[in-house]
Amino acid sequence: MNILILPGDYIGPEILAEAVKVLEAFKAQGETIAWTLGHLGGAAVDAEGHPYPPSTQQAARVADAILLGAVGGPKYDTLPRELRPERGLLGIRKDLNLFANLRPARVFEELADSSSLKKEFIAGLDVLIIRELTGDIYFGQPRGRRVNAEGHDEGFDTMHYSRPEVERIARVAFEAARKRSQRVCSVDKENVLDTSRFWREVMIGVHQDYPDVELTHMYVDNAAMQLVKRPKQFDVMVTGNIFGDILSDEASMLAGSIGMLPSASLDANNKGMYEPIHGSAPDIAGQNKANPLATILSVAMMFKYSFDRTDLSDRIEAAVKKVLQQGHRTGDIAMPGEKVIGTREMGDAVLAALK
Ligand code: IPM
Ligand code: MG
């Protein structure tokens, strides 16, 4: 199991250090795990002059899986667009063809009170958002600036999806649903967008191969509302890149804290990049305050999806559950009056629970 670790910016290195403790523990128990470090995002601009430098490209191509912290932050906000940390992230997704982004929003019972929604709406919530990650308006050409027919300057982007792109993400969703409660809700804007009309048509076509799975469709505006109104109606949600970006942030808040949610970005062979959903949190960087649990849970996803080692992923998830039961809380998941521990202490608590 060869892993490339890309800590990234601000809190990235801090949370990754705690994830590495888990890898070290498994290695000490005889697992053949090896890892190397690389640069992505602002850290890569600082070290190598590019947010996704050639050295990282090479290392990423040969690795079996990639663990990423978080990229971006104020230090890099004034860089020209092609050097922005976000470009590094989009670059590696596209380069490695990581088209399937899995963002589970699961509520840990112990944290049901820290959601901004009432407990009865979210207790037991387990939604899997599957976001297409390498197409759509994020990558569509042409894009840029031009002078329009009326002589005005304008900015523009292009939304499109090809049949193979929709087919492959549809299959990921139906396959995932088979391992869950056999329900897929495809989210689009079919009442307005041609891209969405096509998306829905292809979804319905692929669904023919999965008669055991229920397929429903929902407009994205309604889906945004239903997620806060009655989130437990959803099992697997599948959607395009831009809608998935927005809905997955929304769903993360149902789970209490964005500091708890892992994600996986997979190619057609389950090679993957694993990262917490949250960003680089510049405001708390370097203060031993960040919650490392989303990153540690991303390691669990890595063992499950890229290495087919559900035994190891189950152990990590059980350890995280245990530390929550024991009452360990970083600031983001603490209720008023609860004792708050730091990033390193949380990592150590997980390690102790693992043993
Ligand atoms: C995400 C992020 C990225 C995205 C940004 C940082 C480019 O918001 O992973 O959801 O929009 O995909
Ligand atoms: Mg986002």
Side-chain angles (χ1 to χ4, degrees):
M1 299 184 264
N2 286 308
I3 303 161
L4 173 65
I5 297 186
L6 304 171
D9 308 324
Y10 292 96
I11 63 164
E14 293 174 68
I15 51 178
L16 247 285
E18 303 314 308
V20 168
K21 285 181 184 168
V22 172
L23 298 181
E24 277 165 349
F26 285 156
K27 191 171 173 173
Q29 290 167 10
E31 299 294 344
T32 49
I33 308 176
W35 56 92
T36 53
L37 287 169
H39 295 124
L40 189 77
V45 174
D46 288 340
E48 304 181 51
H50 193 278
Y52 181 42
S55 64
T56 303
Q57 284 179 35
Q58 276 146 28
R61 285 178 196 156
V62 298
D64 300 318
I66 299 161
L67 269 179
L68 172 64
V71 299
K75 183 177 171 199
Y76 309 104
D77 282 349
T78 52
L79 287 170
R81 199 179 155 80
E82 62 288 355
L83 290 181
R84 289 281 296 266
E86 293 81 0
R87 283 296 272 266
L89 187 57
L90 298 177
I92 193 170
R93 287 174 179 168
K94 190 74 177 171
D95 187 37
L96 300 180
N97 220 350
L98 306 173
F99 69 91
N101 186 209
L102 275 44
R103 298 190 163 186
R106 244 171 62 198
V107 172
F108 286 89
E109 227 176 282
E110 297 75 15
L111 299 181
D113 285 318
S114 48
S115 171
S116 47
L117 290 196
K118 292 195 195 82
K119 192 169 178 168
E120 66 259 34
F121 289 102
I122 49 119
L125 179 79
D126 183 2
V127 182
L128 177 60
I129 297 190
I130 298 183
R131 168 190 177 194
E132 199 290 329
L133 202 59
T134 52
D136 202 354
I137 197 165
Y138 268 59
F139 295 94
Q141 295 289 345
R143 63 190 291 169
R145 284 166 179 255
R146 63 186 169 197
V147 177
N148 69 16
E150 287 89 55
H152 298 299
D153 285 0
E154 66 178 17
F156 69 104
D157 295 273
T158 304
M159 177 179 270
H160 62 83
Y161 265 121
S162 67
R163 185 175 296 277
E165 283 178 316
V166 183
E167 277 177 358
R168 64 184 183 175
I169 198 72
R171 291 194 189 280
V172 171
F174 290 127
E175 298 284 345
R178 276 190 170 159
K179 297 184 190 143
R180 298 168 51 97
S181 0
Q182 284 86 31
R183 287 185 298 120
V184 171
C185 177
S186 168
V187 176
D188 60 34
K189 190 69 186 172
E190 192 257 358
N191 49 347
V192 176
L193 300 174
D194 283 322
T195 310
S196 283
R197 199 162 311 148
F198 181 72
W199 168 283
R200 191 178 284 209
E201 201 181 293
V202 178
M203 278 287 155
I204 292 169
V206 175
H207 181 231
Q208 304 297 306
D209 293 342
Y210 301 86
D212 50 316
V213 177
E214 177 195 282
L215 172 66
T216 55
H217 307 274
M218 199 178 273
Y219 297 142
V220 62
D221 49 349
N222 186 28
M225 180 182 76
Q226 295 296 334
L227 264 177
V228 285
K229 186 179 178 196
R230 215 163 51 80
K232 284 192 265 185
Q233 70 186 283
F234 297 111
D235 179 23
V236 173
M237 296 177 98
V238 63
T239 190
N241 205 346
I242 185 94
F243 298 155
D245 178 45
I246 298 164
L247 292 179
S248 61
D249 261 30
E250 187 188 6
S252 72
M253 268 299 111
L254 306 176
S257 167
I258 199 164
M260 292 300 300
L261 297 184
S263 75
S265 306
L266 306 174
D267 76 0
N269 306 308
N270 284 343
K271 173 170 174 164
M273 181 162 79
Y274 300 84
E275 57 181 305
I277 285 190
H278 60 73
S280 62
D283 54 319
I284 56 166
Q287 300 171 38
N288 194 37
K289 280 187 180 167
N291 183 351
L293 293 179
T295 313
I296 289 171
L297 289 167
S298 299
V299 176
M301 282 190 97
M302 175 183 77
F303 283 120
K304 179 171 173 185
Y305 288 99
S306 282
F307 299 131
D308 210 10
R309 291 292 302 271
T310 44
D311 58 324
L312 298 182
S313 62
D314 287 350
R315 281 182 60 198
I316 296 173
E317 284 176 10
V320 168
K321 211 171 160 47
K322 188 166 166 192
V323 300
L324 294 175
Q325 275 161 1
Q326 291 167 337
H328 297 296
R329 299 285 186 271
T330 42
D332 59 309
I333 51 174
M335 297 295 285
E338 268 181 336
K339 179 172 175 249
V340 170
I341 62 170
T343 311
R344 288 190 290 274
E345 291 68 36
M346 186 59 107
D348 290 339
V350 172
L351 215 59
L354 262 183
K355 287 168 183 159

